[in-house]
């Protein structure tokens, strides 16, 4: 397992590979001010692999900047979400994005679909 990490104040985006899929682990709050490190991690992952799993089990807040990043990333790769927290699930359901993206409970399930 190869590991890369981008950390900013209270926010982290860790990348690793499993089963031929790039996994990006996000944690913390994501809004317009804090989305850049995650955007960079997802962009790099999408350039390296045709499928990317975003582990959102550590995301405590997500707004429209986060949602926009998901949609833009989905356009460039097979993006799957794993372990959505209540704030993430809420924004996905309110906007209908949960019907567009593959959302699974675990990273293993998301990597396998």
């Amino acid at each position: 397992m190869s590991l890369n990490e981008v950390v900013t104040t209270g926010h982290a985006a860790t990348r690793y590979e499993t089963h031929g899929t790039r996994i990006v682990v996000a944690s913390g709050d994501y809004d317009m001010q804090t989305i850049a490190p995650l955007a960079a991690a997802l962009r790099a992952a999408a350039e390296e692999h045709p499928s990317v799993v975003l582990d959102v089990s550590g995301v405590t807040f997500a707004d429209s900047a986060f949602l926009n990043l998901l949609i833009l990333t989905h356009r460039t790769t097979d993006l799957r979400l794993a372990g959505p927290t209540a704030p993430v699930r809420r924004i996905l359901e309110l906007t209908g994005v949960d019907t567009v993206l593959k959302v699974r409970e675990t990273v293993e399930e998301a990597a396998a679909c």
Side-chain angles (χ1 to χ4, degrees):
M1 169 169 71
S2 151
L3 183 66
N4 300 310
E5 188 167 15
V6 178
V7 180
T8 63
T9 309
H11 304 84
T14 305
R15 298 180 308 158
Y16 65 95
E17 184 178 335
T18 186
H19 305 295
T21 301
R22 180 61 79 177
I23 312 298
V24 177
V25 181
S27 63
D29 295 351
Y30 290 100
D31 58 24
M32 183 181 263
Q33 301 299 317
T34 60
I35 200 74
L38 181 58
L42 285 172
R43 186 173 36 258
E47 290 172 358
E48 297 166 354
H49 290 278
S51 61
V52 174
V53 171
L54 178 59
D55 180 349
V56 293
S57 62
V59 175
T60 53
F61 174 81
D63 71 359
S64 60
F66 180 82
L67 187 64
N68 187 49
L69 176 60
L70 297 182
I71 293 166
L72 291 174
T73 304
H74 175 67
R75 289 181 174 177
T76 62
T77 191
D78 178 16
L79 179 65
R80 307 156 192 185
L81 299 184
T85 58
V88 172
R89 191 172 298 280
R90 180 171 166 76
I91 195 169
L92 294 175
E93 290 173 355
L94 285 173
T95 59
V97 173
D98 62 331
T99 64
V100 176
L101 298 178
K102 296 174 188 170
V103 181
R104 302 294 187 266
E105 291 305 312
T106 68
V107 170
E108 293 76 22
E109 290 173 350
C113 72

